[in-house]
Amino acid sequence: MSDETKLPSGRLGRLVRLAEIGARTGTSLLLRREGDDGAAKRAAEVLGNLRGVAAKVGQMAGYIDGLVPEEHRDAYQRSMKTLLAGAPRSSPEAIRRLVEEELGAPLDRLFAEWDETAVASASIGQVHRARTLEGAEVAVKVQHPGVAEAVESDLKNAGLLEGALSMMGTRKVGSAKMLEEVRARFREELDYTIEAQNQIEFARIFEGDPKILVPTVDRDRSSRRVLTTEFVRGRTLDEASALPERDRVALCRTLWRFVYKGTLVGEMFNADPHPGNYFFQDDGRVAFLDFGCVQPIPEKRRGVARKLHRAAVERDEATFTEAAKIMLETRGGDHEKRVLSYIRRAFEPQFSSPFRITRDYVASLVHHMRDAGKETLKSGDKSFVPMPEGMLFMNRLQFGFYSVLARLDVEVDYAEEERSFMA
């Protein structure tokens, strides 16, 4: 698909495409154990080609261990990876028009060189290599024409969003509030001026860090639908996973520092840990891309988040439990026991450090949360409290980030890494 006119952006057209894989939401099929690998491959194809929120749901299922039933996981993930490698591009003519409209000048007055072939394409936009008039090599991310309408159609499809929440075990568990949170974050991703500011802020947080590279933003060539940044190259996650063990340990420490120093010191986190958002450099640095989905830490939760992490690295179970109750706003009963059991399991890398994060461990977290949600619904537990603001995207970060670390497959002293920046 090279012409943006082929992208179904209306709600009806997108529901028709989702119906092709036998599910109104396009996600329930991913959760079923019946069917065959052919159905899993078709689910990947339809979700990936729709772009927008549907594609994000499909991509999430493609790299987070435990979301797709084990018997179909490999077939689905292979299909999604192949699809992403050849993801649909918008036409060169449409991209040129949009860039010139957004930046208010002909392309040749904005860039000395412009590569018509996109180097990457994702659910919201695609990236072109270019060179500025001053000679700097840059990456220009341009929104797919029509994608804003597609995203809005998906955001009105409560079934699609609830299907995504189902994969995390949170459907109907305080979902009205969470649905609005999901809609807010996805709408922000359509505004590249927000992403540019996020990226600038992350660069400030990690200024001077010898191992973390956040590409510089070119403000003069950025707008709501165009984002121009420093061009970076590097190994993919698959390539980095073949490096010697010592190198992979160092990379895991850098990744952990980026996520948790950003969270605990910078008071914000990038909630889209897609494997394609990391480039691993020859000198050991990691380049971090895509800051469209960033969740700030609410002020009331910042101190308790630091307390929670300090207790984990010091293996202080009592203080950890106390902080977790405050963080999750529980009020006793069986529901509190379930969520405390989950969060304690999620902090095993700090408590049992050095720790090897594996794909089976990540899948166990996903299943643990899903089972806890089902048990709460089944029992009608009156002690239930909705998931607090921001925790849904923290779970998305944790599942996705841990899945990235699992691909590097090494034992790492994560507690020591946290002590290094929490001091």
Side-chain angles (χ1 to χ4, degrees):
M1 180 170 69
S2 61
D3 188 341
E4 76 280 3
T5 61
K6 295 181 181 179
L7 170 65
S9 57
R11 189 177 180 191
L12 178 59
R14 294 176 72 77
L15 287 174
V16 167
R17 292 292 299 277
L18 290 170
E20 291 178 26
I21 55 175
R24 178 179 177 272
T25 68
T27 55
S28 60
L29 182 142
L30 300 179
L31 305 172
R32 296 203 309 261
R33 295 191 175 277
E34 65 267 22
D36 54 24
D37 285 356
K41 292 176 183 177
R42 182 58 180 152
E45 179 184 349
V46 171
L47 289 170
N49 279 321
L50 277 174
R51 298 180 185 159
V53 178
K56 283 189 172 291
V57 170
Q59 289 169 11
M60 184 171 64
Y63 71 88
I64 295 180
D65 295 306
L67 293 190
V68 177
E70 184 69 25
E71 51 267 49
H72 302 312
R73 183 188 70 184
D74 289 344
Y76 181 88
Q77 292 185 349
R78 281 196 307 271
S79 297
M80 183 58 73
K81 185 178 289 188
T82 300
L83 181 73
L84 293 176
R89 268 70 168 164
S90 296
S91 71
E93 296 78 17
I95 290 296
R96 179 182 289 267
R97 285 196 303 270
L98 192 149
V99 171
E100 292 181 341
E101 177 186 336
E102 285 287 305
L103 301 185
L107 207 64
D108 58 7
R109 286 175 50 193
L110 295 164
F111 302 99
E113 297 176 18
W114 177 269
D115 191 341
E116 296 278 13
T117 303
V119 297
S121 181
S123 55
I124 301 295
Q126 64 187 49
V127 179
H128 291 258
R129 189 197 68 83
R131 193 170 297 278
T132 67
L133 303 177
E134 297 79 19
E137 188 179 28
V138 292
V140 186
K141 183 160 72 170
V142 187
Q143 264 184 38
H144 295 301
V147 78
E149 293 81 0
V151 168
E152 282 301 325
S153 294
D154 288 345
L155 294 180
K156 291 174 184 174
N157 180 357
L160 174 63
L161 300 185
E162 287 185 351
L165 295 179
S166 291
M167 294 195 293
M168 303 293 191
T170 54
R171 186 180 184 181
K172 296 181 181 178
V173 182
S175 63
K177 183 178 179 181
M178 285 189 287
L179 284 174
E180 285 312 306
E181 191 174 345
V182 169
R183 290 185 175 109
R185 293 288 87 79
F186 281 131
R187 286 189 176 111
E188 287 175 0
E189 289 196 57
L190 293 170
D191 188 344
Y192 287 171
T193 62
I194 294 175
E195 179 171 354
Q197 191 54 47
N198 289 338
Q199 192 158 333
I200 290 167
E201 183 61 21
F202 271 93
R204 184 195 64 77
I205 293 169
F206 294 101
E207 185 177 6
D209 191 305
K211 295 299 182 182
I212 291 176
L213 170 60
V214 178
T216 304
V217 173
D218 184 337
R219 292 174 181 265
D220 293 336
R221 295 176 179 86
S222 297
S223 68
R224 184 178 179 84
R225 294 190 292 169
V226 176
L227 177 60
T228 301
T229 68
E230 171 189 1
F231 195 95
V232 296
R233 294 175 174 82
R235 293 184 180 90
T236 64
L237 178 62
D238 284 345
E239 292 167 337
S241 66
L243 290 171
E245 180 178 351
R246 180 179 177 180
D247 293 338
R248 285 180 284 134
V249 169
L251 292 176
C252 284
R253 290 186 68 123
T254 298
L255 290 166
W256 194 272
R257 186 165 67 258
F258 176 80
V259 168
Y260 290 111
K261 182 179 179 182
T263 302
L264 300 171
V265 179
E267 299 172 344
M268 58 199 297
F269 62 88
N270 188 346
D272 189 7
H274 188 279
N277 293 341
Y278 310 104
F279 278 159
F280 301 90
Q281 314 289 296
D282 289 339
D283 60 5
R285 290 184 302 164
V286 181
F288 295 87
L289 312 177
D290 197 339
F291 294 85
C293 186
V294 169
Q295 177 78 44
I297 306 297
E299 186 173 357
K300 68 177 182 179
R301 205 169 291 130
R302 293 170 186 172
V304 73
R306 288 189 278 266
K307 183 178 181 180
L308 189 76
H309 278 258
R310 285 195 185 97
V313 300
E314 298 303 330
R315 302 181 183 183
D316 182 345
E317 297 279 3
T319 301
F320 180 85
T321 299
E322 176 192 349
K325 290 178 182 178
I326 297 171
M327 170 76 74
L328 299 171
E329 300 176 3
T330 58
R331 56 188 185 194
D334 290 338
H335 176 72
E336 180 178 88
K337 291 177 184 176
R338 292 187 195 103
V339 296
L340 289 178
S341 173
Y342 166 76
I343 196 170
R344 175 58 181 81
R345 188 182 186 95
F347 272 76
E348 198 62 34
Q350 292 99 318
F351 273 101
S352 298
S353 200
F355 189 83
R356 182 187 296 265
I357 293 176
T358 65
R359 297 182 71 177
D360 285 345
Y361 167 69
V362 180
S364 76
L365 288 178
V366 174
H367 296 153
H368 194 141
M369 172 166 277
R370 190 182 292 160
D371 291 347
K374 288 179 181 177
E375 188 59 34
T376 293
L377 288 174
K378 185 167 131 186
S379 65
D381 190 348
K382 294 194 183 335
S383 68
F384 165 76
V385 291
M387 190 178 289
E389 177 190 357
M391 292 305 296
L392 174 65
F393 280 89
M394 177 58 79
N395 287 337
R396 179 194 182 190
L397 166 68
Q398 195 160 58
F399 293 155
F401 178 53
Y402 280 9
S403 292
V404 168
L405 296 175
R407 268 48 172 199
L408 293 171
D409 192 27
V410 281
E411 186 176 84
V412 183
D413 194 340
Y414 294 115
E416 180 187 16
E417 186 58 42
E418 287 202 15
R419 289 189 193 98
S420 73
F421 60 75
M422 285 205 294

